[in-house]
């Protein structure tokens, strides 16, 4: 169930031509929402472009009796992102939910990564979350200033790589970690306008993860289909989540979890300025008490 009458709900899903985005678009349409299916139609590395993937998802939705339109604008650009938001408002009369899901991969070890491989991934994931959210936020702010009440949602896509780390993905992980921080701050800023902002860190078998042996191994025992993540995304758009904001959730097979953010662990205090000798004495003991970092499944190894 969505936050209001599903027949009046308008949802934008970016990167919705394949994988998670496609699953989310179908799930929202099945709930009765009108969906703007955004996808540039490029490869998993961001190269190329085609109207095919977005239109194919629209055709699937409409064949099932749903409402959807295709959009192929580049949401990592200011004007492309605005065009997506404008299309939702112009076509369906408003905007209630923005799902920022578009992404690419250009994995490389740090010592071999090129500037282009860094820039392209940061642009699609991080700027591609900022730009649509910025234009959607302006729309909702203007509505609020005009006396209208919003019950709107932003649902971002982060990743275990950004939350817990994964070798070969400094670009992707940095972008996804940035989305986590963006989510927390945007939630603080947009609450006054009746907008919640949350993020989901999915583990799913898609074309972005298809060449990762660890994902395939996990998929032998856990259902990692993209469709398994969509119920959480739709729930975040619904009435039960109206007061949930600034949170990051993990979805992995049949498990959902609230991801707890950075917090101070063991600590020490001095009334003066720390010396190197004092730190030599204090920090090893603090590190010994500190919980280890979680692995890619979000679990801490035993101490």
């Amino acid at each position: 169930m969505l936050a209001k009458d599903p027949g009046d709900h308008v949802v934008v899903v970016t990167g919705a031509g394949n994988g998670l985005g496609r699953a989310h678009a179908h799930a929202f349409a099945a709930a009765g929402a009108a969906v703007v299916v955004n996808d540039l139609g490029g490869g998993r590395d961001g190269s190329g472009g085609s109207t095919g993937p977005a239109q194919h998802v629209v055709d699937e939705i409409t064949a099932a009796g749903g409402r959807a339109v295709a959009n192929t604008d580049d949401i990592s650009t200011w004007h492309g992102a605005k065009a997506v938001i404008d299309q939702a408002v112009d076509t369906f009369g408003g905007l209630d939910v923005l799902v920022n899901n578009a992404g690419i991969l250009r994995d490389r070890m740090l010592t071999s990564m090129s500037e282009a491989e860094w820039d392209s991934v940061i642009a699609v994931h991080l700027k591609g979350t900022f730009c649509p959210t910025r234009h959607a936020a302006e729309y909702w702010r203007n509505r609020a200033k005009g006396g209208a009440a919003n019950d709107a949602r932003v649902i971002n896509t982060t990743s275990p790589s950004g939350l817990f780390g994964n070798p070969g993905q400094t670009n992707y992980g940095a972008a996804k970690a940035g989305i986590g921080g963006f989510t927390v701050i945007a939630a603080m800023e947009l609450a006054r306008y009746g907008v919640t902002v949350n993020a989901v860190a999915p583990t799913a078998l898609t074309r972005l993860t298809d060449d990762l042996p660890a994902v395939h191994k996990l998929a032998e025992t856990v259902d990692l289909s993209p469709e398994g993540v969509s119920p959480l995304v739709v729930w975040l758009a619904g009435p039960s989540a109206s007061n949930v904001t600034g949170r990051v959730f993990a979805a992995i097979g049949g498990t959902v979890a609230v991801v707890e953010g950075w917090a101070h662990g063991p600590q020490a205090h001095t009334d003066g300025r720390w010396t190197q000798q004092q730190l030599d004495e204090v920090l090893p003991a603090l590190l010994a008490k500190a919980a280890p970092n979680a692995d890619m499944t979000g679990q801490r190894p035993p101490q």
Side-chain angles (χ1 to χ4, degrees), residues 218-267:
L218 183 61
E220 294 175 2
T221 56
V222 177
D223 178 12
L224 295 185
S225 61
E227 290 76 12
V229 179
S230 299
L232 173 59
V233 175
V234 175
W235 183 85
L236 286 169
S240 297
S242 60
N243 294 318
V244 179
T245 195
R247 288 291 193 173
V248 177
F249 296 83
I252 175 169
T255 299
V256 294
V258 179
V259 180
E260 297 178 338
W262 291 102
H264 289 185
Q267 56 189 307

Side-chain angles (χ1 to χ4, degrees), residues 59 211 240:
D59 292 342
D211 63 347
S240 297

Side-chain angles (χ1 to χ4, degrees), residues 123-210:
V124 174
H125 288 277
L126 193 51
K127 189 177 179 183
T129 295
F130 159 69
C131 288
T133 307
R134 165 63 175 79
H135 292 298
E138 182 175 5
Y139 167 75
W140 290 318
R141 182 189 63 184
N142 290 342
R143 277 178 47 83
K145 287 187 173 182
N150 294 312
D151 185 12
R153 308 282 193 271
V154 176
I155 304 166
N156 297 323
T157 307
T158 181
S159 167
S161 293
L163 302 176
F164 312 123
N166 192 37
Q169 294 190 318
T170 52
N171 50 3
Y172 177 76
K176 289 304 192 182
I179 289 170
F182 176 91
T183 296
V184 172
I185 297 170
M188 296 173 179
E189 295 185 2
L190 298 185
R192 72 189 71 180
Y193 304 122
V195 183
T196 68
V197 186
N198 294 286
V200 174
T203 299
L205 187 57
T206 69
R207 67 174 184 161
L208 289 190
T209 60
D210 189 52

Side-chain angles (χ1 to χ4, degrees), residues 58-187:
V58 169
D59 292 342
E60 291 176 332
I61 290 173
T62 55
R67 295 177 297 150
V69 294
N71 177 282
T72 57
D73 286 294
D74 183 353
I75 48 79
S76 70
T77 69
W78 185 260
H79 296 294
K82 186 177 188 302
V84 178
I85 303 305
D86 287 347
Q87 184 175 354
V89 175
D90 294 343
T91 304
F92 296 119
L95 176 66
D96 301 289
V97 180
L98 169 62
V99 181
N100 289 308
N101 174 76
I104 64 171
L105 283 182
R106 292 193 178 180
D107 290 355
R108 192 83 63 188
M109 298 301 286
L110 178 59
T111 52
S112 302
M113 186 173 293
S114 70
E115 182 179 15
E117 288 165 339
W118 174 272
D119 287 347
S120 60
V121 171
I122 295 295
V124 174
H125 288 277
L126 193 51
K127 189 177 179 183
T129 295
F130 159 69
C131 288
T133 307
R134 165 63 175 79
H135 292 298
E138 182 175 5
Y139 167 75
W140 290 318
R141 182 189 63 184
N142 290 342
R143 277 178 47 83
K145 287 187 173 182
N150 294 312
D151 185 12
R153 308 282 193 271
V154 176
I155 304 166
N156 297 323
T157 307
T158 181
S159 167
S161 293
L163 302 176
F164 312 123
N166 192 37
Q169 294 190 318
T170 52
N171 50 3
Y172 177 76
K176 289 304 192 182
I179 289 170
F182 176 91
T183 296
V184 172
I185 297 170

Side-chain angles (χ1 to χ4, degrees), residues 35-50:
V35 184
V36 178
V37 178
N38 162 265
D39 201 284
L40 188 61
R44 70 193 294 269
D45 65 351
S47 61
S50 168

Side-chain angles (χ1 to χ4, degrees), residues 261-285:
W262 291 102
H264 289 185
Q267 56 189 307
H269 173 76
T270 180
D271 290 331
R273 183 177 297 175
W274 286 102
T275 67
Q276 294 298 309
Q277 182 178 358
Q278 288 174 318
L279 292 175
D280 279 340
E281 296 170 355
V282 168
L283 285 178

